[in-house]
Amino acid sequence: LGLCTMEDNMEFLRAVDVKNAVDHAVTVLNNFCSQLQRREAHLSEKESSLSTREVEGELSLRSKAKEIEESLRQKEHRINTMIEKHQSEFAKGSSAEENVVVLNVGGTKFTTTKHTLMTEPDSFFHGMVSS
């Protein structure tokens, strides 16, 4: 049976040291991979949450836009109704001079119509023009 020389023993110890170093490196890399996987999962959750908030925000904006659009339609309808009313009043033969009201407010003159002043029944101007 052969005897181990000092060189053989040294070589064996170096091999053990290399194996231990490799095992340690593998352990460190496995831990690092686990950390990366946890971070990736966390980032995916955040991304999903952001996407949900973006969608909710967009839906909210669309809803507000529809509300504004409806409000504008209603205002347009009221304006068109007022225009038609004015046109029918003038068509009935009432002269423009009879309907014009000039208001002097602090030296500044404003011109409007009796109809415009009477659109709000409980206003000061309605009472002034109707009497």
Side-chain angles (χ1 to χ4, degrees), residues 77-92:
H77 177 70
R78 284 194 301 267
I79 290 169
N80 287 337
T81 301
M82 289 171 59
I83 289 171
E84 289 171 9
K85 201 172 198 178
H86 282 296
Q87 288 173 341
S88 68
E89 285 178 10
F90 287 121
K92 289 179 185 175

Side-chain angles (χ1 to χ4, degrees), residues 58-91:
E58 187 174 327
L59 290 175
S60 174
L61 287 175
R62 285 182 184 178
S63 174
K64 286 178 185 178
K66 285 182 180 181
E67 289 174 16
I68 291 170
E69 186 178 357
E70 180 59 30
S71 173
L72 289 174
R73 271 195 209 108
Q74 291 173 358
K75 288 177 183 178
E76 181 182 28
H77 177 70
R78 284 194 301 267
I79 290 169
N80 287 337
T81 301
M82 289 171 59
I83 289 171
E84 289 171 9
K85 201 172 198 178
H86 282 296
Q87 288 173 341
S88 68
E89 285 178 10
F90 287 121

Side-chain angles (χ1 to χ4, degrees), residues 11-130:
E11 191 175 324
F12 175 76
L13 290 175
R14 280 193 296 265
V16 168
D17 286 344
V18 168
K19 183 186 178 317
N20 288 339
V22 168
D23 288 345
H24 179 71
V26 167
T27 301
V28 168
L29 287 173
N30 285 336
N31 289 338
F32 184 70
C33 286
S34 294
Q35 288 176 352
L36 285 177
Q37 288 171 343
R38 284 192 299 274
R39 285 183 183 172
E40 181 181 21
H42 179 70
L43 289 174
S44 292
E45 288 175 20
K46 277 188 169 184
E47 181 182 33
S48 176
S49 173
L50 284 174
S51 296
T52 301
R53 279 188 262 159
E54 287 173 352
V55 168
E56 289 170 352
E58 187 174 327
L59 290 175
S60 174
L61 287 175
R62 285 182 184 178
S63 174
K64 286 178 185 178
K66 285 182 180 181
E67 289 174 16
I68 291 170
E69 186 178 357
E70 180 59 30
S71 173
L72 289 174
R73 271 195 209 108
Q74 291 173 358
K75 288 177 183 178
E76 181 182 28
H77 177 70
R78 284 194 301 267
I79 290 169
N80 287 337
T81 301
M82 289 171 59
I83 289 171
E84 289 171 9
K85 201 172 198 178
H86 282 296
Q87 288 173 341
S88 68
E89 285 178 10
F90 287 121
K92 289 179 185 175
S94 59
S95 68
E97 292 82 30
E98 292 175 13
N99 290 315
V100 173
V101 176
V102 178
L103 302 171
N104 186 339
V105 181
T108 303
K109 293 183 179 181
F110 296 91
T111 305
T112 187
T113 64
K114 287 181 181 180
H115 177 75
T116 300
L117 295 175
M118 294 184 68
T119 55
E120 291 295 323
D122 296 329
S123 71
F124 168 79
F125 294 113
H126 186 275
M128 181 179 80
V129 174
S130 65

